[in-house]
Amino acid sequence: MPITAAATIMIAVFMTPLLGPDVSVKQIGLGMAVAVLIDATVVRMILVPAVMELCGEANWWMPGRRAPKAAAAPRPEVGEEARG
């Protein structure tokens, strides 16, 4: 929801130059508005959820975080194994 609201505001702001007389500024404003619209709809509402669904549990894998290792049994001293 916040992404959609932010995209809507950005599109409205980028469309305001269309009211002015300068054609090059109109082109830039329209291009940016279309880019934000494509990013908000195609990328963030379609591609990201689809890729997350395909990746499954791999989405939440974090490098460097591992399960704690079990404490290793202490090694016997030299000569102890001969006594036992």
Side-chain angles (χ1 to χ4, degrees), residues 12-29:
V13 168
F14 291 147
M15 294 291 273
T16 55
L18 296 178
L19 302 173
D22 193 2
V23 176
S24 62
V25 175
K26 287 181 182 183
Q27 290 175 345
I28 293 171

Side-chain angles (χ1 to χ4, degrees), residues 40-57:
T41 56
V42 175
V43 175
R44 303 200 190 270
M45 291 181 164
I46 297 172
L47 290 179
V48 171
V51 170
M52 287 184 74
E53 182 68 27
L54 289 174
C55 291
E57 288 294 316

